[in-house]
Every structure is written in structure tokens, then in C-alpha cells.
Amino acid sequence: MKRFALWTLSLAALVSFGAAAQEGTLKKVKDSATITIGHRDASLPFSYYDDKQQPIGYAMDLCMRIVDAVKAELKLPALKVNYQLVTSANRIPLMANGTIDLECGSTTNNLARQEQVGFTITHFVTANRWIAKKSSKINKLADLKGKTVVSTAGTTNIKQITEINAAQNLGMNIISANGHPEAFQMVETGRAVAFVMDDILLYSLAAQSRSPKDYAISPEALSVEPYGIMVRKGDDAFKKVVDAAMTNVYKSGQINAIYGKWFLKPVPPKSINLNVPMSAQFKKVVANPTSSGDPKDYQ
């Protein structure tokens, strides 16, 4: 009787998993013959607009490899791709409510966010730092005491600098911006002395500014930030297809050309070369793909 009960429970679990898979993203995409990609407008070189207002970037290229894998899995060669602009503030709600199926940008994968959404294999590893004008002589965290600091709303960066401010009693005035360009402009115009954000985004914003040599990015890192493409939480069937696609890009060596295109060569529309070689942390991910949200796994 006990063995029968266990068999019944196992069968029920299998049926439940099958039903969940059928109700997940793969079914949604198959039924509609469309997949919706959430993208950013100014997260260069990950996801941003070119001069024709088309979304392009490193994360977008990786997402298109995922779309190809979904086409193959569902046998839908004519699968239509829709694009949905997202912000730091609304990207997680739009994923959770089913508006977008993949979020292709510069989103940090951490344990707190994994309570709401899922992530595929990490596609970049950055660090939380700040940018300031060299003339302001902001060289270390203590130099920000009592100063006005900006970060982007809805990011891990603003959450972290707020926590550091309270823990170390720095008395900073922390303000939020609606996007990365707006935050950088506040430093440009003197409304804030520093902008706290992922270092790779700070490098790209400085490179696009009127006078790149006027700015310095802090040598001090506040955290390690692994980036991941967002998927819906608990959708194991879809995540399996997505993870396999990303792993194939890494193991086949395709990642080297994709990475080089966006980080080691001039990128449109202004032909800016960020010249950021692949880090040791990311090389580790390429060799052993992971979607961990624990920063300790990237050190």
C-alpha cells in the first residue's frame, strides 16, 4: 500500500510538471507564434538603440541565439520576434506578468531577484563602482560623505549605496534617476558629485560624453555583479532550452566573436571602442557555465 501511494505521488508530480511546462513560456510562444524580447534604450553595449532606433547590442545578439534555439525546439522557423522597451524600474514586473519572454539587457542576477524571476547563464561579470569628475577629487568611499550621489531607480546599485550610506553613517544625499543617461547628466551638470552604477556602463557613458578625460571611475568596488538574461521564475522547460542555447554559444567558441564585436571593436552609432578585454571572472563562467545569483561564485 505504501509503495502504491509513493507511485501515485510520483505520477502526480510528473503530471503536475507536464502541465506546468505546457502552461509555460514555450506554450505561450507556440500558441502565439511570437516571442517578446524586453530591451533597453541606453545600456551600451548590452542593449541600446542604434541611429535607426533599432535595439542592438551584446545581450541582443545572445538573445537572438536563444530565439534560434526556441525556433528549433518548437519547429517554428517563422517565429515572429516582438520588441518591448523596458526600464530598470519595470523590467521585473513586465517579466513576472508575462508581457516579455526574455529580458536582454544589463540586469544583475542576485538571490533577492531570484525570488521574483529566473535567470539564464551569466553573460557578463561587472562590479558596482562610481564615476565622478576628476576635479572633484572623489577617490574613496569616505570622500562621498555628505555629498549628493545619484543612481538609477530600480537597480541593485541604488539599493546597495543606500544600505552602505546607512551602515557607515556617511550622510550622503542619494537621489534616483529614471535612466543611466539622466544619472550621468546629473554628474555632468554638477547636480550630483558621483553616479553609482555597474562599471561597464560607466565606462560606456564616459566614452560617449563630450569630454571623456574629465571623468574617473573609482578603483574601489562595492560589489560583484553577474549579469543574466531574465526569464520567468519556475519555468523549467523554457529555462532548459535557453540555458542549452547559451551553453552552446560558450562551448562552441562563438562567444569570443560576439564578445569581441561589442567590447573590443568600435560599436555603432558613434564608433566608440570600449576596449574591455574579457575578465578572468567571465572566462571562468565561459569554461563552467552557471546561472548562480551568489556573488561568491564569481570571485
Side-chain angles (χ1 to χ4, degrees):
M1 188 70 173
K2 186 176 180 181
R3 185 178 297 171
F4 176 77
L6 287 172
W7 178 84
T8 304
L9 285 170
S10 299
L11 180 61
L14 285 170
V15 170
S16 174
F17 176 78
Q22 289 173 358
E23 292 304 315
T25 304
L26 289 176
K27 183 178 188 300
K28 175 179 179 287
V29 170
K30 188 171 185 177
D31 289 350
S32 65
T34 62
I35 187 166
T36 302
I37 291 178
H39 66 89
R40 304 299 298 275
D41 61 353
S43 286
L44 188 150
F46 297 92
S47 180
Y48 66 102
Y49 282 141
D50 64 12
D51 53 0
K52 296 178 182 176
Q53 294 296 292
Q54 297 298 312
I56 60 171
Y58 172 69
M60 296 299 294
D61 279 3
L62 292 173
C63 273
M64 293 317 296
R65 299 299 194 283
I66 292 170
V67 169
D68 288 342
V70 172
K71 286 180 181 178
E73 175 73 18
L74 298 177
K75 298 179 176 58
L76 282 176
L79 180 64
K80 181 183 177 184
V81 179
N82 288 335
Y83 296 98
Q84 171 69 50
L85 178 63
V86 300
T87 66
S88 297
N90 70 17
R91 57 191 167 178
I92 289 176
L94 290 179
M95 174 58 68
N97 71 17
T99 300
I100 57 175
D101 302 311
L102 292 166
E103 190 268 336
C104 309
S106 50
T107 301
T108 298
N109 172 11
N110 60 32
L111 299 176
R113 282 179 171 164
Q114 286 184 10
E115 298 286 325
Q116 304 173 73
V117 293
F119 289 88
T120 185
I121 305 297
T122 294
H123 64 268
F124 196 82
V125 183
T126 184
N128 189 14
R129 302 180 195 268
W130 67 84
I131 193 167
K133 287 184 177 178
K134 290 177 182 177
S135 59
S136 67
K137 295 181 168 52
I138 303 294
N139 301 312
K140 56 186 184 297
L141 185 62
D143 294 335
L144 292 171
K145 188 169 184 177
K147 302 288 197 302
T148 295
V149 174
V150 65
S151 191
T152 308
T155 62
T156 56
N157 312 78
I158 196 167
K159 180 175 183 290
Q160 185 179 61
I161 195 63
T162 301
E163 291 170 350
I164 290 171
N165 191 35
Q168 299 190 26
N169 196 28
L170 293 173
M172 289 184 282
N173 173 33
I174 299 171
I175 55 178
S176 65
N178 291 325
H180 307 322
E182 179 182 307
F184 185 81
Q185 188 180 54
M186 288 183 181
V187 176
E188 270 188 317
T189 58
R191 284 179 287 167
V193 74
F195 170 26
V196 178
M197 185 44 56
D198 300 337
D199 55 14
I200 185 60
L201 298 178
L202 296 178
Y203 281 116
S204 71
L205 288 163
Q208 297 173 78
S209 70
R210 295 185 191 90
S211 186
K213 290 186 284 187
D214 288 352
Y215 300 93
I217 294 169
S218 65
E220 186 176 350
L222 303 176
S223 70
V224 175
E225 305 279 327
Y227 284 176
I229 292 166
M230 274 199 298
V231 295
R232 263 179 285 289
K233 179 179 171 62
D235 195 339
D236 295 336
F238 186 62
K239 180 169 162 53
K240 183 178 179 181
V241 174
V242 172
D243 284 357
M246 290 289 289
T247 299
N248 178 59
V249 168
Y250 291 178
K251 295 298 185 182
S252 67
Q254 296 174 58
I255 187 61
N256 296 314
I258 298 172
Y259 186 96
K261 172 183 174 183
W262 295 103
F263 294 98
L264 300 173
K265 296 178 181 178
V267 299
K270 298 180 181 178
S271 295
I272 294 169
N273 190 341
L274 298 177
N275 196 24
V276 179
M278 194 179 289
S279 67
Q281 293 97 326
F282 186 51
K283 286 180 180 177
K284 181 181 173 184
V285 174
V286 171
N288 298 287
T290 178
S291 58
S292 172
D294 187 343
K296 293 176 183 176
D297 291 337
Y298 300 91
Q299 293 172 348

